[in-house]
Amino acid sequence: MKILGIESSCDETAASIVEDGYKMISNVVATSMHEHAKYGGIVPEIAARSHIESIIPVIDESMEQANINWSQLDGIAVTYGAGLGGSLLVGVETAKTLAIAKNLPLYKINHVEGHVYANFITHSNLDGYNLPEEQPKFPILALIVSGGHSQLVFFEDHFKYKLLGQTTDDAVGEAFDKVAKLLGLPYPGGPNIEIAATNGDPDKYKLPKAQLTNKYDFSFSGPKTAVLRLVQAEVGKSFDFPSFKLAELLNERQKADIAASFLRTSIETLVDKTVMAEKEYNPKTIVIAGGVAANSELRKQLTYRLHTKIQYPDIKLCTDNGAMIAALGCFKAMKKTTPDDPYKLQINPNLSM
Ligand code: KG4
Ligand code: ZN
Protein backbone atom coordinates (compact mmCIF):
# COMPACT_ATOMS: atom_id res chain seq x y z
CA MET A 1 0.00 0.00 0.00
CA LYS A 2 1.83 3.14 -1.22
CA ILE A 3 0.25 6.53 -0.64
CA LEU A 4 1.43 9.94 -1.84
CA GLY A 5 0.83 12.58 0.85
CA ILE A 6 0.51 16.25 -0.12
CA GLU A 7 0.70 19.05 2.47
CA SER A 8 0.37 22.80 1.79
CA SER A 9 -1.60 24.23 4.74
CA CYS A 10 0.90 26.88 5.81
CA ASP A 11 4.32 27.83 4.40
CA GLU A 12 5.70 24.35 3.67
CA THR A 13 5.02 22.72 0.29
CA ALA A 14 5.55 19.03 0.99
CA ALA A 15 5.10 15.63 -0.63
CA SER A 16 6.08 12.19 0.54
CA ILE A 17 5.35 8.55 -0.20
CA VAL A 18 4.73 6.19 2.70
CA GLU A 19 4.27 2.44 2.42
CA ASP A 20 1.87 0.49 4.69
CA GLY A 21 1.64 3.32 7.22
CA TYR A 22 5.17 2.86 8.60
CA LYS A 23 7.84 3.07 5.88
CA MET A 24 8.77 6.47 4.46
CA ILE A 25 10.23 5.97 1.00
CA SER A 26 10.45 9.65 0.05
CA ASN A 27 10.07 12.99 1.79
CA VAL A 28 10.46 16.38 0.11
CA VAL A 29 9.77 19.74 1.76
CA ALA A 30 10.14 23.22 0.23
CA THR A 31 9.54 26.14 2.54
CA SER A 32 8.91 29.84 1.94
CA MET A 33 9.91 30.62 5.57
CA HIS A 34 12.89 32.83 4.50
CA GLU A 35 10.47 35.04 2.52
CA HIS A 36 8.30 35.59 5.62
CA ALA A 37 11.17 36.15 8.06
CA LYS A 38 11.50 39.88 7.33
CA TYR A 39 7.81 40.39 8.19
CA GLY A 40 8.10 38.51 11.50
CA GLY A 41 5.33 36.05 10.57
CA ILE A 42 3.65 34.22 7.69
CA VAL A 43 2.20 36.42 4.93
CA PRO A 44 -0.65 34.30 3.44
CA GLU A 45 -0.39 35.69 -0.12
CA ILE A 46 3.37 35.03 -0.27
CA ALA A 47 2.84 31.48 1.04
CA ALA A 48 0.12 30.74 -1.57
CA ARG A 49 2.21 32.04 -4.48
CA SER A 50 5.21 30.05 -3.33
CA HIS A 51 3.06 26.85 -3.17
CA ILE A 52 2.01 27.38 -6.80
CA GLU A 53 5.67 27.54 -7.86
CA SER A 54 6.82 24.59 -5.78
CA ILE A 55 4.04 22.04 -5.73
CA ILE A 56 4.71 20.21 -9.02
CA PRO A 57 8.53 20.10 -8.62
CA VAL A 58 8.10 18.87 -5.01
CA ILE A 59 5.69 16.07 -6.05
CA ASP A 60 7.95 15.10 -8.99
CA GLU A 61 10.95 14.92 -6.68
CA SER A 62 9.06 12.77 -4.17
CA MET A 63 8.20 10.30 -6.96
CA GLU A 64 11.82 10.26 -8.16
CA GLN A 65 13.19 9.82 -4.64
CA ALA A 66 10.83 6.85 -4.09
CA ASN A 67 11.80 5.53 -7.53
CA ILE A 68 8.25 4.59 -8.45
CA ASN A 69 5.82 5.51 -11.21
CA TRP A 70 2.16 6.53 -10.94
CA SER A 71 0.85 3.02 -11.63
CA GLN A 72 2.64 1.77 -8.49
CA LEU A 73 0.77 4.21 -6.23
CA ASP A 74 -2.39 3.14 -4.38
CA GLY A 75 -3.80 6.55 -3.55
CA ILE A 76 -3.30 10.23 -2.80
CA ALA A 77 -3.84 11.85 0.60
CA VAL A 78 -4.07 15.62 0.96
CA THR A 79 -4.48 18.14 3.78
CA TYR A 80 -7.83 19.92 3.28
CA GLY A 81 -7.85 21.86 6.61
CA ALA A 82 -7.18 23.51 8.92
CA GLY A 83 -4.86 26.11 7.46
CA LEU A 84 -4.56 29.19 5.28
CA GLY A 85 -7.20 29.22 2.55
CA GLY A 86 -4.95 30.18 -0.35
CA SER A 87 -2.28 27.67 0.72
CA LEU A 88 -4.74 24.78 1.18
CA LEU A 89 -6.29 25.44 -2.24
CA VAL A 90 -3.02 24.77 -4.06
CA GLY A 91 -2.49 21.35 -2.46
CA VAL A 92 -6.13 20.28 -2.69
CA GLU A 93 -6.63 21.31 -6.33
CA THR A 94 -3.37 19.61 -7.30
CA ALA A 95 -4.35 16.40 -5.47
CA LYS A 96 -7.84 16.40 -7.02
CA THR A 97 -6.41 16.88 -10.53
CA LEU A 98 -3.86 14.09 -10.04
CA ALA A 99 -6.47 11.73 -8.57
CA ILE A 100 -8.67 12.24 -11.66
CA ALA A 101 -5.84 12.15 -14.22
CA LYS A 102 -4.09 9.12 -12.72
CA ASN A 103 -7.30 7.40 -11.64
CA LEU A 104 -6.27 7.05 -7.98
CA PRO A 105 -8.40 7.10 -4.80
CA LEU A 106 -8.24 10.42 -2.94
CA TYR A 107 -8.25 10.75 0.86
CA LYS A 108 -8.84 14.07 2.62
CA ILE A 109 -6.74 14.58 5.74
CA ASN A 110 -7.22 16.77 8.80
CA HIS A 111 -3.84 18.47 9.26
CA VAL A 112 -3.85 18.27 13.07
CA GLU A 113 -4.74 14.57 13.04
CA GLY A 114 -1.95 14.15 10.46
CA HIS A 115 0.66 15.57 12.87
CA VAL A 116 0.02 12.62 15.21
CA TYR A 117 0.75 10.11 12.42
CA ALA A 118 4.34 11.32 12.06
CA ASN A 119 4.81 9.03 15.08
CA PHE A 120 3.73 5.97 13.08
CA ILE A 121 6.72 6.23 10.74
CA THR A 122 9.26 3.77 12.10
CA HIS A 123 11.29 2.83 9.00
CA SER A 124 12.94 4.65 6.13
CA ASN A 125 15.62 4.05 3.54
CA LEU A 126 16.34 7.81 3.63
CA ASP A 127 19.37 9.06 5.55
CA GLY A 128 19.27 11.46 8.47
CA TYR A 129 16.09 10.43 10.29
CA ASN A 130 15.97 9.38 13.91
CA LEU A 131 12.77 7.28 13.97
CA PRO A 132 10.96 5.58 16.87
CA GLU A 133 11.51 1.83 17.19
CA GLU A 134 7.82 0.97 17.28
CA GLN A 135 4.49 2.55 16.47
CA PRO A 136 2.54 4.13 19.33
CA LYS A 137 -0.03 1.88 21.02
CA PHE A 138 -3.67 2.85 21.53
CA PRO A 139 -5.06 4.47 23.56
CA ILE A 140 -2.83 7.40 22.68
CA LEU A 141 -2.73 10.83 24.28
CA ALA A 142 -1.46 13.40 21.78
CA LEU A 143 -0.13 16.88 22.50
CA ILE A 144 -0.06 18.80 19.23
CA VAL A 145 1.79 22.09 19.50
CA SER A 146 2.80 24.32 16.62
CA GLY A 147 2.47 27.80 15.13
CA GLY A 148 -1.16 27.08 14.27
CA HIS A 149 -2.29 24.58 16.91
CA SER A 150 -2.24 23.72 20.60
CA GLN A 151 -4.41 20.66 21.13
CA LEU A 152 -4.65 17.80 23.56
CA VAL A 153 -6.38 14.84 21.93
CA PHE A 154 -7.19 11.34 23.20
CA PHE A 155 -7.20 8.61 20.51
CA GLU A 156 -9.00 5.39 21.46
CA ASP A 157 -8.18 3.94 18.04
CA HIS A 158 -7.52 5.07 14.47
CA PHE A 159 -10.07 7.78 13.54
CA LYS A 160 -11.75 7.48 16.95
CA TYR A 161 -10.69 10.43 19.02
CA LYS A 162 -11.86 13.03 21.46
CA LEU A 163 -10.58 16.59 21.59
CA LEU A 164 -9.83 17.21 25.28
CA GLY A 165 -8.74 20.81 24.98
CA GLN A 166 -7.33 23.44 22.69
CA THR A 167 -6.18 27.02 22.72
CA THR A 168 -8.89 29.60 23.16
CA ASP A 169 -6.74 32.26 21.45
CA ASP A 170 -3.12 32.09 20.20
CA ALA A 171 -1.37 28.82 19.48
CA VAL A 172 1.73 28.31 21.61
CA GLY A 173 4.12 28.62 18.64
CA GLU A 174 2.34 31.80 17.57
CA ALA A 175 2.85 33.23 21.08
CA PHE A 176 6.56 32.31 20.87
CA ASP A 177 6.76 34.09 17.50
CA LYS A 178 5.03 37.23 18.82
CA VAL A 179 7.08 37.42 22.03
CA ALA A 180 10.27 36.92 19.98
CA LYS A 181 9.28 39.83 17.74
CA LEU A 182 8.70 42.02 20.80
CA LEU A 183 12.17 41.11 22.11
CA GLY A 184 13.77 41.81 18.73
CA LEU A 185 14.59 38.13 18.13
CA PRO A 186 14.33 36.70 14.60
CA TYR A 187 11.48 34.61 13.16
CA PRO A 188 10.65 31.79 13.84
CA GLY A 189 10.46 32.75 17.48
CA GLY A 190 10.45 29.33 19.19
CA PRO A 191 14.04 28.28 18.50
CA ASN A 192 15.33 31.84 19.03
CA ILE A 193 13.57 32.23 22.39
CA GLU A 194 15.08 28.88 23.35
CA ILE A 195 18.59 30.15 22.48
CA ALA A 196 18.08 33.52 24.23
CA ALA A 197 16.67 31.76 27.32
CA THR A 198 19.83 29.66 27.85
CA ASN A 199 21.53 32.73 29.40
CA GLY A 200 18.46 33.91 31.31
CA ASP A 201 16.89 33.42 34.73
CA PRO A 202 13.45 31.74 34.42
CA ASP A 203 12.49 32.89 37.95
CA LYS A 204 13.23 36.55 37.32
CA TYR A 205 9.70 37.48 36.22
CA LYS A 206 6.41 35.92 37.27
CA LEU A 207 4.03 35.65 34.32
CA PRO A 208 0.34 34.66 34.67
CA LYS A 209 -1.11 31.25 33.77
CA ALA A 210 -4.70 31.37 32.50
CA GLN A 211 -7.47 29.60 34.46
CA LEU A 212 -10.07 28.32 31.99
CA THR A 213 -13.51 26.70 32.29
CA ASN A 214 -12.37 23.57 30.47
CA LYS A 215 -9.33 22.44 32.46
CA TYR A 216 -7.68 21.08 29.27
CA ASP A 217 -7.98 24.32 27.27
CA PHE A 218 -4.97 26.60 26.80
CA SER A 219 -4.62 30.37 26.52
CA PHE A 220 -1.35 31.96 25.44
CA SER A 221 -2.59 35.43 24.67
CA GLY A 222 -2.61 36.46 28.36
CA PRO A 223 1.06 35.57 29.02
CA LYS A 224 1.99 37.21 25.69
CA THR A 225 0.27 40.49 26.71
CA ALA A 226 1.86 40.18 30.16
CA VAL A 227 5.26 40.16 28.41
CA LEU A 228 4.30 43.32 26.51
CA ARG A 229 3.32 45.08 29.79
CA LEU A 230 6.49 43.81 31.46
CA VAL A 231 8.71 45.15 28.66
CA GLN A 232 6.92 48.53 28.77
CA ALA A 233 7.50 48.69 32.53
CA GLU A 234 11.17 47.62 32.24
CA VAL A 235 12.02 50.36 29.73
CA GLY A 236 9.71 52.96 31.34
CA LYS A 237 7.38 53.49 28.37
CA SER A 238 3.59 53.61 28.38
CA PHE A 239 1.18 51.61 26.19
CA ASP A 240 1.11 54.30 23.48
CA PHE A 241 4.84 53.86 22.70
CA PRO A 242 5.24 51.81 19.45
CA SER A 243 5.78 48.19 20.44
CA PHE A 244 8.18 47.50 17.54
CA LYS A 245 10.61 50.04 19.07
CA LEU A 246 10.63 48.50 22.55
CA ALA A 247 13.26 45.86 21.79
CA GLU A 248 15.92 48.53 21.08
CA LEU A 249 15.57 49.75 24.66
CA LEU A 250 16.09 46.36 26.30
CA ASN A 251 19.56 45.14 27.21
CA GLU A 252 20.73 41.55 26.58
CA ARG A 253 20.27 40.57 30.25
CA GLN A 254 16.63 41.71 30.26
CA LYS A 255 15.94 39.93 26.94
CA ALA A 256 17.43 36.68 28.23
CA ASP A 257 15.50 36.83 31.51
CA ILE A 258 12.18 37.63 29.79
CA ALA A 259 12.73 34.86 27.21
CA ALA A 260 13.54 32.36 29.99
CA SER A 261 10.53 33.39 32.11
CA PHE A 262 8.13 33.19 29.16
CA LEU A 263 9.57 29.85 28.05
CA ARG A 264 9.21 28.41 31.57
CA THR A 265 5.58 29.59 31.98
CA SER A 266 4.33 28.47 28.58
CA ILE A 267 6.04 25.08 28.72
CA GLU A 268 4.78 24.49 32.28
CA THR A 269 1.22 25.18 31.08
CA LEU A 270 1.54 22.53 28.34
CA VAL A 271 3.11 20.01 30.68
CA ASP A 272 0.62 20.58 33.58
CA LYS A 273 -2.33 19.77 31.29
CA THR A 274 -0.65 16.76 29.71
CA VAL A 275 0.08 15.37 33.19
CA MET A 276 -3.57 15.93 34.21
CA ALA A 277 -4.83 14.12 31.08
CA GLU A 278 -2.39 11.24 31.65
CA LYS A 279 -3.88 10.68 35.12
CA GLU A 280 -7.49 10.83 33.90
CA TYR A 281 -7.19 8.85 30.66
CA ASN A 282 -4.40 6.34 31.31
CA PRO A 283 -2.94 6.18 27.77
CA LYS A 284 -0.50 3.46 26.64
CA THR A 285 1.58 5.98 24.67
CA ILE A 286 1.88 9.75 24.74
CA VAL A 287 2.91 11.36 21.47
CA ILE A 288 4.08 14.92 20.95
CA ALA A 289 3.77 16.53 17.53
CA GLY A 290 4.07 19.91 15.79
CA GLY A 291 6.93 22.40 15.48
CA VAL A 292 7.07 23.22 19.21
CA ALA A 293 7.77 19.49 19.92
CA ALA A 294 11.33 20.40 18.95
CA ASN A 295 11.65 22.44 22.15
CA SER A 296 14.17 20.88 24.52
CA GLU A 297 12.64 22.40 27.69
CA LEU A 298 9.29 20.80 26.76
CA ARG A 299 10.97 17.43 26.17
CA LYS A 300 12.90 17.69 29.46
CA GLN A 301 9.85 18.58 31.58
CA LEU A 302 7.62 15.93 29.96
CA THR A 303 10.20 13.20 30.45
CA TYR A 304 10.58 14.19 34.09
CA ARG A 305 6.88 14.44 34.93
CA LEU A 306 5.11 11.76 32.86
CA HIS A 307 5.03 8.05 33.68
CA THR A 308 3.81 6.77 30.30
CA LYS A 309 6.10 6.05 27.34
CA ILE A 310 6.55 9.29 25.34
CA GLN A 311 7.24 9.37 21.61
CA TYR A 312 8.53 12.24 19.51
CA PRO A 313 8.89 12.16 15.76
CA ASP A 314 12.23 13.09 14.22
CA ILE A 315 12.60 16.90 14.35
CA LYS A 316 12.16 17.02 10.54
CA LEU A 317 8.80 15.24 10.95
CA CYS A 318 7.69 17.49 13.85
CA THR A 319 7.24 20.46 11.51
CA ASP A 320 4.82 20.31 8.57
CA ASN A 321 5.58 17.52 6.11
CA GLY A 322 3.90 15.22 3.60
CA ALA A 323 4.96 11.98 5.33
CA MET A 324 2.54 12.43 8.24
CA ILE A 325 -0.27 13.03 5.71
CA ALA A 326 0.74 9.97 3.68
CA ALA A 327 0.98 7.80 6.83
CA LEU A 328 -2.57 8.70 7.89
CA GLY A 329 -3.68 8.20 4.26
CA CYS A 330 -2.21 4.66 4.38
CA PHE A 331 -4.31 3.83 7.45
CA LYS A 332 -7.42 5.22 5.76
CA ALA A 333 -6.74 3.03 2.71
CA MET A 334 -5.74 -0.06 4.75
CA LYS A 335 -8.88 0.25 6.88
CA LYS A 336 -11.01 0.62 3.75
CA THR A 337 -12.28 4.13 4.46
CA THR A 338 -14.41 5.32 1.53
CA PRO A 339 -12.27 7.60 -0.67
CA ASP A 340 -13.36 11.19 -1.24
CA ASP A 341 -14.86 12.44 -4.48
CA PRO A 342 -12.18 14.42 -6.36
CA TYR A 343 -14.92 16.41 -8.12
CA LYS A 344 -16.41 17.53 -4.80
CA LEU A 345 -13.62 17.89 -2.21
CA GLN A 346 -13.39 21.43 -0.82
CA ILE A 347 -10.86 23.03 1.51
CA ASN A 348 -11.90 23.79 5.11
CA PRO A 349 -9.58 26.45 6.59
CA ASN A 350 -11.34 26.32 10.01
CA LEU A 351 -11.56 22.55 10.29
CA SER A 352 -11.38 21.38 13.91
CA MET A 353 -10.64 17.95 15.31
O1 KG4 B 1 4.41 22.67 12.88
P1 KG4 B 1 5.04 23.95 12.38
O2 KG4 B 1 6.22 23.85 11.46
O3 KG4 B 1 4.02 24.80 11.57
C1 KG4 B 1 2.71 24.97 11.93
O4 KG4 B 1 1.87 24.10 11.58
O5 KG4 B 1 2.48 25.98 12.61
O6 KG4 B 1 5.39 24.82 13.68
C2 KG4 B 1 6.04 26.08 13.59
C3 KG4 B 1 6.09 26.69 14.98
C4 KG4 B 1 6.59 28.14 15.00
O7 KG4 B 1 5.67 28.93 15.74
C5 KG4 B 1 7.93 28.03 15.73
O8 KG4 B 1 8.24 29.20 16.49
C6 KG4 B 1 7.73 26.82 16.61
O9 KG4 B 1 6.94 25.93 15.84
N1 KG4 B 1 8.99 26.18 16.98
C7 KG4 B 1 9.45 26.11 18.25
C8 KG4 B 1 10.73 25.48 18.18
N2 KG4 B 1 10.98 25.18 16.87
C9 KG4 B 1 9.90 25.61 16.15
N3 KG4 B 1 8.92 26.54 19.40
C10 KG4 B 1 9.61 26.32 20.53
N4 KG4 B 1 10.85 25.75 20.54
C11 KG4 B 1 11.44 25.32 19.41
N5 KG4 B 1 12.64 24.76 19.46
ZN1 ZN C 1 1.22 21.86 11.38
Short mmCIF file of all heavy atoms in Angstrom, two decimals, residues 72-96:
data_model
loop_
_atom_site.label_atom_id
_atom_site.label_comp_id
_atom_site.label_asym_id
_atom_site.label_seq_id
_atom_site.Cartn_x
_atom_site.Cartn_y
_atom_site.Cartn_z
N GLN A 72 2.29 2.52 -9.72
CA GLN A 72 2.64 1.77 -8.49
C GLN A 72 2.04 2.40 -7.23
O GLN A 72 2.19 1.86 -6.14
CB GLN A 72 4.17 1.69 -8.36
CG GLN A 72 4.81 0.81 -9.41
CD GLN A 72 6.31 1.00 -9.43
OE1 GLN A 72 6.84 2.02 -9.88
NE2 GLN A 72 7.03 0.01 -8.92
N LEU A 73 1.39 3.55 -7.39
CA LEU A 73 0.77 4.21 -6.23
C LEU A 73 -0.64 3.65 -5.99
O LEU A 73 -1.32 3.26 -6.93
CB LEU A 73 0.62 5.71 -6.48
CG LEU A 73 1.73 6.66 -6.07
CD1 LEU A 73 1.27 8.09 -6.33
CD2 LEU A 73 2.12 6.52 -4.61
N ASP A 74 -1.05 3.65 -4.72
CA ASP A 74 -2.39 3.14 -4.38
C ASP A 74 -3.36 4.25 -4.01
O ASP A 74 -4.53 3.98 -3.74
CB ASP A 74 -2.29 2.15 -3.21
CG ASP A 74 -1.46 0.95 -3.60
OD1 ASP A 74 -1.96 0.11 -4.34
OD2 ASP A 74 -0.28 0.91 -3.20
N GLY A 75 -2.88 5.47 -3.89
CA GLY A 75 -3.80 6.55 -3.55
C GLY A 75 -3.06 7.84 -3.25
O GLY A 75 -1.82 7.87 -3.15
N ILE A 76 -3.85 8.90 -3.10
CA ILE A 76 -3.30 10.23 -2.80
C ILE A 76 -4.03 10.76 -1.56
O ILE A 76 -5.26 10.69 -1.48
CB ILE A 76 -3.52 11.21 -3.98
CG1 ILE A 76 -2.80 10.69 -5.24
CG2 ILE A 76 -3.03 12.61 -3.63
CD1 ILE A 76 -3.06 11.51 -6.49
N ALA A 77 -3.24 11.25 -0.60
CA ALA A 77 -3.84 11.85 0.60
C ALA A 77 -3.44 13.32 0.61
O ALA A 77 -2.30 13.66 0.27
CB ALA A 77 -3.30 11.16 1.85
N VAL A 78 -4.38 14.19 0.98
CA VAL A 78 -4.07 15.62 0.96
C VAL A 78 -4.69 16.33 2.15
O VAL A 78 -5.81 16.03 2.55
CB VAL A 78 -4.53 16.27 -0.38
CG1 VAL A 78 -6.04 16.22 -0.57
CG2 VAL A 78 -4.05 17.71 -0.48
N THR A 79 -3.96 17.29 2.71
CA THR A 79 -4.48 18.14 3.78
C THR A 79 -5.54 19.07 3.21
O THR A 79 -5.26 19.82 2.29
CB THR A 79 -3.35 19.02 4.37
OG1 THR A 79 -2.32 18.17 4.86
CG2 THR A 79 -3.85 19.91 5.48
N TYR A 80 -6.77 19.01 3.78
CA TYR A 80 -7.83 19.92 3.28
C TYR A 80 -8.21 20.95 4.35
O TYR A 80 -9.05 21.80 4.12
CB TYR A 80 -9.05 19.12 2.79
CG TYR A 80 -9.96 18.59 3.86
CD1 TYR A 80 -11.25 19.10 4.02
CD2 TYR A 80 -9.55 17.57 4.71
CE1 TYR A 80 -12.10 18.61 5.01
CE2 TYR A 80 -10.39 17.08 5.70
CZ TYR A 80 -11.66 17.61 5.84
OH TYR A 80 -12.49 17.12 6.83
N GLY A 81 -7.61 20.88 5.54
CA GLY A 81 -7.85 21.86 6.61
C GLY A 81 -7.21 21.31 7.87
O GLY A 81 -6.82 20.14 7.88
N ALA A 82 -7.05 22.07 8.88
CA ALA A 82 -7.18 23.51 8.92
C ALA A 82 -5.92 24.16 8.35
O ALA A 82 -4.88 23.51 8.28
CB ALA A 82 -7.37 23.94 10.38
N GLY A 83 -6.03 25.42 7.97
CA GLY A 83 -4.86 26.11 7.46
C GLY A 83 -5.25 27.39 6.76
O GLY A 83 -6.39 27.84 6.86
N LEU A 84 -4.31 27.95 6.02
CA LEU A 84 -4.56 29.19 5.28
C LEU A 84 -5.29 28.84 3.99
O LEU A 84 -4.85 27.93 3.26
CB LEU A 84 -3.23 29.88 4.94
CG LEU A 84 -2.35 30.26 6.13
CD1 LEU A 84 -0.96 30.67 5.67
CD2 LEU A 84 -3.01 31.39 6.91
N GLY A 85 -6.37 29.54 3.70
CA GLY A 85 -7.20 29.22 2.55
C GLY A 85 -6.43 29.12 1.24
O GLY A 85 -6.49 28.10 0.55
N GLY A 86 -5.68 30.15 0.92
CA GLY A 86 -4.95 30.18 -0.35
C GLY A 86 -3.93 29.05 -0.44
O GLY A 86 -3.72 28.45 -1.50
N SER A 87 -3.29 28.73 0.68
CA SER A 87 -2.28 27.67 0.72
C SER A 87 -2.94 26.30 0.53
O SER A 87 -2.48 25.48 -0.28
CB SER A 87 -1.55 27.69 2.05
OG SER A 87 -0.76 28.84 2.16
N LEU A 88 -4.04 26.07 1.26
CA LEU A 88 -4.74 24.78 1.18
C LEU A 88 -5.24 24.52 -0.25
O LEU A 88 -5.16 23.39 -0.75
CB LEU A 88 -5.94 24.76 2.12
CG LEU A 88 -5.65 24.66 3.61
CD1 LEU A 88 -6.90 25.01 4.42
CD2 LEU A 88 -5.17 23.25 3.98
N LEU A 89 -5.73 25.58 -0.89
CA LEU A 89 -6.29 25.44 -2.24
C LEU A 89 -5.29 24.82 -3.21
O LEU A 89 -5.65 23.96 -4.02
CB LEU A 89 -6.68 26.82 -2.78
CG LEU A 89 -8.13 27.26 -2.60
CD1 LEU A 89 -8.30 28.66 -3.18
CD2 LEU A 89 -9.09 26.30 -3.30
N VAL A 90 -4.03 25.25 -3.10
CA VAL A 90 -3.02 24.77 -4.06
C VAL A 90 -2.83 23.26 -3.91
O VAL A 90 -2.86 22.52 -4.89
CB VAL A 90 -1.68 25.52 -3.87
CG1 VAL A 90 -0.64 25.03 -4.87
CG2 VAL A 90 -1.88 27.03 -4.00
N GLY A 91 -2.69 22.79 -2.68
CA GLY A 91 -2.49 21.35 -2.46
C GLY A 91 -3.72 20.55 -2.85
O GLY A 91 -3.62 19.51 -3.52
N VAL A 92 -4.90 21.03 -2.44
CA VAL A 92 -6.13 20.28 -2.69
C VAL A 92 -6.46 20.22 -4.18
O VAL A 92 -6.77 19.15 -4.72
CB VAL A 92 -7.31 20.86 -1.86
CG1 VAL A 92 -8.64 20.31 -2.32
CG2 VAL A 92 -7.10 20.55 -0.38
N GLU A 93 -6.33 21.34 -4.88
CA GLU A 93 -6.63 21.31 -6.33
C GLU A 93 -5.63 20.43 -7.07
O GLU A 93 -6.00 19.72 -8.00
CB GLU A 93 -6.65 22.74 -6.90
CG GLU A 93 -7.81 23.60 -6.37
CD GLU A 93 -9.20 22.95 -6.52
OE1 GLU A 93 -9.51 22.43 -7.61
OE2 GLU A 93 -9.96 22.94 -5.54
N THR A 94 -4.38 20.46 -6.65
CA THR A 94 -3.37 19.61 -7.30
C THR A 94 -3.71 18.14 -7.06
O THR A 94 -3.68 17.32 -7.98
CB THR A 94 -1.96 19.94 -6.74
OG1 THR A 94 -1.73 21.33 -6.87
CG2 THR A 94 -0.87 19.16 -7.46
N ALA A 95 -4.04 17.80 -5.81
CA ALA A 95 -4.35 16.40 -5.47
C ALA A 95 -5.60 15.93 -6.22
O ALA A 95 -5.63 14.79 -6.73
CB ALA A 95 -4.57 16.28 -3.96
N LYS A 96 -6.61 16.77 -6.32
CA LYS A 96 -7.84 16.40 -7.02
C LYS A 96 -7.53 16.13 -8.50
O LYS A 96 -7.98 15.12 -9.07
CB LYS A 96 -8.87 17.55 -6.92
CG LYS A 96 -9.56 17.61 -5.57
CD LYS A 96 -10.16 18.97 -5.27
CE LYS A 96 -11.38 19.32 -6.08
NZ LYS A 96 -12.01 20.59 -5.61
#
